[in-house]
Amino acid sequence: GAVVSQHPSRVICKSGTSVKIECRSLDFQATTMFWYRQFPKQSLMLMATSNEGSKATYEQGVEKDKFLINHASLTLSTLTVTSAHPEDSSFYICSAAQGFGGELFFGEGSRLTVL
Amino acid sequence: DAKTTQPNSMESNEEEPVHLPCNHSTISGTDYIHWYRQLPSQGPEYVIHGLTSNVNNRMASLAIAEDRKSSTLILHRATLRDAAVYYCIRERGNKLVFGAGTILRVKS
């Protein structure tokens, strides 16, 4: 079946640095991908909708300059956490779909720890 | 509000059926109802989805009320591997907005 893969699965960085997380759809093309973050013992919070070839759409309260999203191809979206701080430490998850009204496929998640 | 309402937690015995309820009283006519489950430190896993009719697949069944304001996920025989957080979600244009979900515990 369709698979969405994220890389890296875990990353530790120093405060003030930037971190890039990749989300790939391995066997299908995704014009739209979604980025979520999840804090411990909480639900997933939708951050933004990543649109291939155009600007991402951010949810209310999510800083677009802080969380840069690039969707350069139909199989790859990247999330860059800029000038990371300890409060950005979280589990970041992406999802993608082949069409509308069907199953959405989620990546394995990327755990970011900012020291 | 696009979020759904689910019980915080439920418990089931192994090998018995489990009925997980969900309320989505403000759902619109074109919103799909999706169910996903999540294990700790993993991405959500698709379980089932539907629009109006009841749905069955190898994992579960989804019973949707006639007025679409509620639905029930049915696991026919719970196993220990079914212990997870189950999310009932309204989907519009592939956009999923997660609520708090139901923690399902399965006792052996």
Side-chain angles (χ1 to χ4, degrees):
Chain A
V3 176
V4 172
S5 179
Q6 286 184 238
H7 177 80
S9 57
R10 289 179 178 273
V11 57
I12 300 172
C13 70
K14 292 183 179 178
S15 188
T17 61
S18 294
V19 174
K20 181 186 288 187
I21 300 169
E22 294 185 347
C23 176
R24 294 183 185 272
S25 55
L26 296 184
D27 54 1
F28 67 98
Q29 294 183 330
T31 55
T32 305
M33 292 183 175
F34 300 87
W35 286 96
Y36 296 81
R37 67 188 296 183
Q38 185 176 32
F39 292 110
K41 297 192 186 302
Q42 294 187 22
S43 183
L44 283 76
M45 185 196 81
L46 179 64
M47 298 175 67
T49 302
S50 173
N51 304 299
E52 188 269 334
S54 65
K55 290 183 179 179
T57 306
Y58 290 81
E59 296 298 304
Q60 194 171 11
V62 178
E63 300 174 59
K64 57 184 68 176
D65 295 330
K66 173 76 171 175
F67 300 100
L68 300 180
I69 291 171
N70 182 276
H71 196 151
S73 78
L74 287 170
T75 59
L76 174 64
S77 174
T78 60
L79 168 69
T80 301
V81 183
T82 63
S83 186
H85 290 285
E87 56 265 31
D88 298 323
S89 298
S90 187
F91 194 49
Y92 291 89
I93 308 169
C94 70
S95 73
Q98 287 183 275
F100 284 97
E103 176 181 352
L104 275 84
F105 301 95
F106 283 83
E108 314 95 322
S110 299
R111 186 163 301 283
L112 170 64
T113 302
V114 185
L115 302 177
Chain B
D1 186 1
K3 292 185 180 176
T4 58
T5 304
Q6 298 175 251
N8 290 332
S9 65
M10 291 185 67
E11 202 168 76
S12 169
N13 293 317
E14 204 175 6
E15 303 293 318
E16 291 186 357
V18 181
H19 291 234
L20 297 167
C22 179
N23 285 322
H24 28 79
S25 58
T26 60
I27 196 169
S28 74
T30 55
D31 291 349
Y32 280 80
I33 300 156
H34 284 242
W35 284 81
Y36 286 77
R37 67 184 186 183
Q38 186 182 29
L39 294 171
S41 296
Q42 293 186 25
E45 175 190 26
Y46 171 80
V47 178
I48 201 166
H49 79 287
L51 185 61
T52 55
S53 305
N54 294 343
V55 185
N56 299 295
N57 67 20
R58 62 176 178 80
M59 287 183 71
S61 295
L62 176 60
I64 302 173
E66 205 169 314
D67 62 7
R68 298 206 339 120
K69 293 185 176 182
S70 65
S71 61
T72 302
L73 176 71
I74 303 164
L75 305 179
H76 296 286
R77 287 179 62 196
T79 70
L80 295 177
R81 286 182 292 183
D82 291 322
V85 179
Y86 285 79
Y87 295 101
C88 164
I89 308 159
R90 287 165 50 174
E91 180 254 324
R92 184 180 299 170
N94 285 342
K95 192 171 174 178
L96 303 179
V97 178
F98 283 73
T102 296
I103 300 170
L104 175 64
R105 298 183 178 90
V106 180
K107 297 185 296 183
S108 59

